[in-house]
């Protein structure tokens, strides 16, 4: 696999400040996936927004985020990751400001679509930069810190959102959910220009594989659009998803043909011939289907089923965030020694924590359920932290760093697909259970969905271990 751009590391001492900037930017973009959920009632009150607009505030971000990951990763590999990083961060910061100043629902939805696209442009550059700037055990530590950011931003979003609404007020508090990104983004832009490595092209830039971009976008849209529009009831039919396998086959055939003609494809299909990459990407997609659905069903249950405020609901999920952050940082130091075995151990712990959470929430503790379930959520968070960052490190370990952005974009696209599938499955079963058996039955059903996906991820990890062991023998 070849590329036409390299990253200069003339000042390797700057790799840690560069990592801090990357983590800060990643935290902002991933936080905005979950922080808006608790601000939706405030948006509805402040803008008189209809339900379909609120649905698109959430789902539109996820949709555009997922669509641009792979093309942005390829552009970063070819044209310069630092350059793409700065451009995407500038766009994200501007879109956050525009969203905060929105005077109507349409303005807000458009700003969220742009914000999601900017977040999708930014994240492959972060992982590509980590892949290029760090090697050996240091790379595991760097990915461990990034995993901590992923877990912390996802889990702490509801808490920060609730706190902002509490301080700024219900009518305009939602605006500060977006405004808070502006000073952080501007500061990150200033330091990015100082500390990020310079992009030095090693040859003429390749033209972007536009047909590949269109085929991949059509494939993703056929899956994501019915899923993200599920709550808006705007009518994209489920059978639309049947086009996805056909479009995917066309995409693979085109990419092979494009490469055989001596040109740089959007995705070099040979990536999936690397066992650690293909297993790790599949594991990540399935795990994110369970991981992100946990917070969706818990937020609904705690606020609507138990009557918690957004702030109290966020506090109740904080043990998961703390466990995930600490475990991610620690496991980043251990993954170089234990490899995917550490991921297996993390999946077992996450699975045990989720099952225990389900049992405790169904035991009839009422409004005390959040406090009672805290130790179980802490265990699940510790397990999750030992999954996300080590899996990231092992998955990209055999990938050429020159293709790191593209490989990371493909991997993250799988995670976005998993998130959409998991949330749609959990929410559908959750709401049907509310109708039939009440809130306690609904949370049990929703958590069982998460348990099922995490168990499937564990099976994938064990299967890889068996394949590796057989090859060694």
């Amino acid at each position: 696999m070849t590329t036409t751009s390299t990253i200069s590391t003339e000042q390797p001492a700057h790799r840690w400040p560069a990592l801090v900037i990357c983590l800060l930017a990643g935290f902002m973009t991933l936080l905005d996936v979950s922080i808006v959920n608790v601000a939706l009632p405030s948006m509805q009150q402040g803008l008189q927004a209809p339900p379909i607009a609120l649905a698109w505030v959430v789902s539109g971000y996820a949709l555009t985020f997922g669509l641009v990951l792979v093309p942005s990763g390829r552009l970063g590999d070819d044209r310069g990751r630092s350059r793409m990083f700065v451009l995407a961060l500038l766009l994200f910061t501007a879109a956050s400001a525009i969203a905060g100043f929105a005077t109507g629902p349409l303005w807000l939805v458009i700003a969220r679509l742009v914000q999601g696209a900017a977040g999708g442009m930014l994240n492959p550059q972060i992982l590509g930069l980590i892949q290029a700037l760090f090697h050996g055990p240091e790379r595991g530590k760097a990915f461990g810190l990034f995993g901590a950011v992923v877990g912390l931003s996802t889990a702490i979003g509801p808490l920060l959102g609730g706190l902002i609404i509490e301080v700024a007020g219900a009518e305009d508090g939602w605006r500060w959910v977006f405004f808070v990104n502006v000073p952080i983004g501007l500061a990150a832009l200033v330091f990015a220009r100082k500390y990020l490595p310079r992009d030095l092209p090693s040859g003429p830039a390749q033209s972007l594989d536009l047909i590949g971009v269109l085929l991949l976008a059509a494939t993703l849209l056929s899956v994501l659009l019915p899923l993200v529009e599920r709550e808006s009831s705007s009518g994209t039919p489920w059978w639309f998803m049947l086009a996805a396998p056909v479009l995917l086959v066309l995409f693979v055939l085109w990419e092979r043909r494009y490469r055989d003609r001596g040109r740089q494809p959007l995705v070099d299909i040979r990536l999936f011939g690397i066992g650690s990459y293909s297993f790790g990407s599949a594991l990540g997609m399935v795990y994110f289907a369970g991981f992100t659905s946990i917070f969706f069903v818990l937020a609904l249950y705690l606020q609507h089923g138990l009557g918690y405020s957004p702030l109290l609901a966020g506090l109740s999920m904080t043990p998961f965030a703390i466990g995930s952050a600490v475990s991610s940082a620690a496991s980043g130091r251990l993954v170089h020694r234990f490899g995917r075995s550490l991921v297996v151990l993390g999946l077992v712990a996450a699975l045990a924590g989720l099952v225990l959470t389900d049992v405790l929430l169904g035991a009839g503790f009422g409004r005390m359920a959040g406090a009672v379930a805290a130790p179980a959520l802490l265990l699940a968070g510790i397990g999750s932290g030992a999954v996300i960052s080590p899996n990231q490190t092992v998955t990209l370990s055999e990938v050429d760093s020159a293709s790191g952005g593209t490989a990371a974009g493909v991997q993250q696209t799988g995670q976005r697909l998993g998130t959409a599938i998991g949330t749609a499955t959990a929410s559908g079963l959750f709401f049907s259970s509310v109708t039939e058996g009440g809130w306690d039955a609904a949370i049990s059903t929703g958590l069982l969905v998460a348990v099922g996906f995490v168990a499937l991820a564990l099976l994938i990890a064990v299967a890889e271990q068996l394949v590796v062991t057989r090859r060694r023998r």
Side-chain angles (χ1 to χ4, degrees):
M1 291 171 283
T2 61
T3 188
T4 58
S5 175
T6 61
I7 286 186
S8 169
T9 54
E10 294 175 356
Q11 297 175 304
H14 285 175
R15 65 192 182 281
W16 292 106
L19 177 65
V20 172
I21 296 163
C22 288
L23 296 182
L24 184 62
F27 181 81
M28 280 200 309
T29 60
L30 296 172
L31 181 71
D32 268 53
V33 175
S34 60
I35 195 172
V36 298
N37 289 326
V38 296
L40 292 176
S42 176
M43 293 175 194
Q44 188 171 32
Q45 179 180 342
L47 292 178
Q48 301 300 308
I52 188 172
L54 296 177
W56 270 99
V57 165
V58 177
S59 61
Y61 184 92
L63 179 63
T64 53
F65 193 108
L67 285 176
V68 304
L69 281 167
V70 178
S72 299
R74 170 52 61 201
L75 284 172
D77 289 344
D78 286 349
R79 313 296 170 88
R81 294 173 192 141
S82 296
R83 189 177 296 116
M84 283 290 294
F85 181 98
V86 170
L87 175 63
L89 183 57
L90 180 61
L91 185 61
F92 185 87
T93 305
S96 297
I98 292 170
F101 283 116
T103 57
L106 181 60
W107 180 338
L108 180 59
V109 168
I110 293 173
R112 280 289 284 176
L113 292 172
V114 175
Q115 197 186 32
M121 291 168 61
L122 192 57
N123 273 268
Q125 318 315 324
I126 294 170
L127 296 176
L129 284 165
I130 293 174
Q131 182 84 344
L133 291 174
F134 295 91
H135 304 279
E138 276 196 346
R139 183 181 288 174
K141 293 177 184 178
F143 275 129
L145 292 172
F146 181 75
V149 165
V150 172
L152 192 63
S153 61
T154 305
I156 210 170
L159 172 61
L160 288 180
L163 185 61
I164 290 171
I165 299 297
E166 190 83 13
V167 172
E171 185 170 351
D172 289 320
W174 65 269
R175 297 185 184 276
W176 291 97
V177 167
F178 299 113
F179 284 148
V180 74
N181 292 330
V182 177
I184 299 173
L186 291 175
L189 281 167
V190 171
F191 287 104
R193 294 186 64 84
K194 180 177 181 180
Y195 291 114
L196 289 188
R198 289 181 296 170
D199 298 307
L200 298 178
S202 59
Q206 297 269 0
S207 60
L208 186 63
D209 175 14
L210 291 178
I211 293 180
V213 170
L214 292 174
L215 284 172
L216 182 60
T219 304
L220 294 174
L221 274 174
S222 64
V223 176
L224 288 173
L225 203 56
L227 292 174
V228 300
E229 283 194 344
R230 189 180 190 283
E231 291 181 38
S232 68
S233 303
S234 55
T236 301
W238 284 100
W239 56 258
F240 201 65
M241 299 175 72
L242 297 176
V246 177
L247 291 167
L248 181 60
V249 170
L250 291 174
F251 172 73
V252 171
L253 292 174
W254 170 259
E255 293 299 277
R256 285 178 175 171
R257 181 186 175 195
Y258 200 77
R259 186 196 68 208
D260 292 342
R261 289 161 58 187
R263 308 184 74 178
Q264 184 70 46
L266 179 66
V267 177
D268 194 327
I269 304 301
R270 289 175 296 181
L271 269 175
F272 295 98
I274 302 173
S276 58
Y277 182 79
S278 55
F279 272 107
S281 296
L283 190 157
M285 182 176 71
V286 174
Y287 182 73
F288 266 72
F291 165 67
T292 49
S293 62
I294 297 167
F295 308 108
F296 182 84
V297 297
L298 277 176
L300 286 172
Y301 174 71
L302 293 172
Q303 291 184 69
H304 298 291
L306 299 183
Y308 283 20
S309 67
L311 180 58
L312 186 56
L315 283 170
S316 299
M317 290 184 276
T318 301
F320 189 106
I322 294 172
S324 178
V326 173
S327 176
S328 291
S331 61
R333 301 173 182 271
L334 299 173
V335 65
H336 191 69
R337 181 178 176 185
F338 295 104
R340 194 87 76 188
S341 299
L342 186 60
V343 178
V344 173
L345 183 62
L347 286 166
V348 171
L351 198 58
L354 287 176
V355 171
L356 185 57
T357 301
D358 191 9
V359 171
L360 291 173
L361 291 181
F365 287 101
R367 286 181 60 85
M368 290 296 297
V372 171
L377 285 172
L378 178 64
L379 176 61
I382 291 172
S384 184
V387 173
I388 295 175
S389 62
N391 185 61
Q392 188 86 58
T393 304
V394 178
T395 300
L396 295 177
S397 61
E398 297 180 71
V399 175
D400 185 348
S401 62
S403 300
T406 305
V410 173
Q411 186 185 14
Q412 287 196 320
T413 299
Q415 292 171 3
R416 294 306 105 203
L417 283 171
T419 297
I421 292 169
T423 303
T425 305
S427 64
L429 293 174
F430 182 92
F431 288 120
S432 64
S433 295
V434 168
T435 304
E436 296 172 5
W439 290 103
D440 290 337
I443 187 59
S444 180
T445 301
L447 286 175
L448 285 176
V449 171
V451 166
F453 281 118
V454 174
L456 181 56
L458 177 59
L459 289 177
I460 294 171
V462 171
E464 184 194 17
Q465 296 288 84
L466 293 174
V467 169
V468 170
T469 302
R470 185 177 300 173
R471 285 176 179 170
R472 286 175 179 170
R473 288 177 179 174

